[in-house]
Amino acid sequence: MDIRKIALVTVLILIAVVSFTRIAPWAADPQTHVHSIEQTEEKISTVMTLSGGAAATSATLSLLPGDMCTPIAEQLAELAKYFLLILSALYLEKFMIGITGVVTFSLFIPFACLILCGAVIFGKKNWITIAGKIAFIGIVLFLIVPASVKLSDMVYQTQAERVNNTVEEYNELNIEGETGGGLLGELTTITSNTVDRVTIFLSGLLESLAVMIVTACIIPILVFVFLIWIVKTVFTSNVLTIEAGEMASVLEKFKKQ
């Protein structure tokens, strides 16, 4: 085998080894994704507070006699379920931050380098296109989560004040009641002022839920679909395809150097 081919194969193997032993651990290190993890954990904390607030308020209202607060209690209990789904999506996003980097730099990139080595050794020019596609898929996979986290954070910051106000409303929410005398002395009814504050809290929960659904669920899905569309477009238009004549010309120039 030509010395120049040996040198090229050696460089490709070195890239694969560095990707597997150095870059993959770096991509999996939480310190590499400090900002993304902090933003995700902040949202998780907010969702847990709102979910717990909705469940606790619903349970408190359901203990009151009469049916005046039953619709509000049922609505709050239903919202708590939706917040649980958002919480699951955020935890999945947190776990994927490091996993995608490991998969890309320990599997896709080394595998692409090995295919390129085979293309150089056996002269399989079409393998270059395959290696390029594998490497491109790996890079897209690595970018999906950071891109979705960044875009979600940008959108979330525009509505963060409203969500924080809802959290404050829950912290300041104190369900007070009125106690009657005689035989009704042990029965407590909620005051109209408290009903108003609970209604405001419910309204804030609905708005916060909408914000969380958009930032934690819809935007990541849209980013994923957009990147998949880019991959499909690139493969369909053969952007990564190297023609046989061009490849032969490149190898010929490499040999002459």
Side-chain angles (χ1 to χ4, degrees):
M1 187 168 57
D2 186 85
I3 187 65
R4 299 187 183 279
K5 288 185 178 181
I6 294 176
L8 183 56
V9 169
T10 302
V11 171
L12 291 172
I13 293 177
L14 180 61
I15 293 174
V17 171
V18 171
S19 177
F20 186 82
T21 60
R22 297 293 183 182
I23 303 180
W26 168 83
D29 189 357
Q31 296 299 322
T32 306
H33 312 281
V34 172
H35 178 72
S36 297
I37 293 176
E38 287 180 350
Q39 295 299 323
T40 304
E41 288 181 344
E42 181 181 343
K43 293 177 184 177
I44 288 175
S45 177
T46 301
V47 171
M48 292 182 67
T49 300
L50 294 176
S51 177
T57 306
S58 174
T60 302
L61 294 177
S62 64
L63 295 176
L64 298 174
D67 297 330
M68 182 177 67
C69 296
T70 299
I72 299 179
E74 292 177 349
Q75 185 66 40
L76 289 171
E78 191 68 23
L79 290 181
K81 298 178 182 178
Y82 288 109
F83 278 116
L84 180 60
L85 294 176
I86 296 173
L87 186 63
S88 301
L90 288 173
Y91 269 111
L92 176 62
E93 185 178 87
K94 181 181 177 180
F95 296 150
M96 291 295 291
I97 289 175
I99 293 176
T100 54
V102 174
V103 172
T104 295
F105 295 107
S106 64
L107 294 178
F108 282 92
I109 300 301
F111 189 46
C113 290
L114 292 178
I115 293 178
L116 285 175
C117 289
V120 174
I121 295 172
F122 301 107
K124 300 291 186 178
K125 300 177 179 62
N126 60 318
W127 287 11
I128 298 176
T129 302
I130 297 175
K133 290 181 178 181
I134 292 175
F136 186 73
I137 291 174
I139 297 299
V140 169
L141 179 65
F142 176 65
L143 293 177
I144 283 178
V145 178
S148 64
V149 170
K150 181 64 177 178
L151 185 58
S152 297
D153 185 53
M154 292 174 60
V155 176
Y156 178 77
Q157 291 303 321
T158 62
Q159 302 295 326
E161 183 178 357
R162 184 66 192 93
V163 177
N164 294 333
N165 289 339
T166 304
V167 174
E168 293 179 1
E169 289 171 1
Y170 167 67
N171 292 331
E172 296 174 358
L173 185 63
N174 183 22
I175 300 180
E176 300 174 347
E178 297 174 340
T179 303
L183 296 176
L184 300 179
E186 296 181 356
L187 297 181
T188 302
T189 58
I190 195 170
T191 64
S192 60
N193 180 52
T194 304
V195 171
D196 293 338
R197 286 191 284 122
V198 171
T199 303
I200 294 174
F201 174 58
L202 176 59
S203 176
L205 274 179
L206 289 172
E207 293 184 17
S208 300
L209 177 64
V211 172
M212 290 297 180
I213 289 177
V214 171
T215 57
C217 300
I218 296 180
I219 289 181
I221 292 175
L222 291 179
V223 171
F224 177 77
V225 172
F226 177 70
L227 291 178
I228 293 299
W229 175 79
I230 291 178
V231 172
K232 183 178 179 181
T233 302
V234 169
F235 289 171
T236 303
S237 59
N238 294 323
V239 173
L240 298 178
T241 302
I242 300 178
E243 298 294 339
E246 296 178 356
M247 181 59 192
S249 176
V250 171
L251 291 177
E252 188 66 25
K253 290 180 180 179
F254 182 74
K255 291 178 181 179
K256 291 179 179 180
Q257 292 180 352

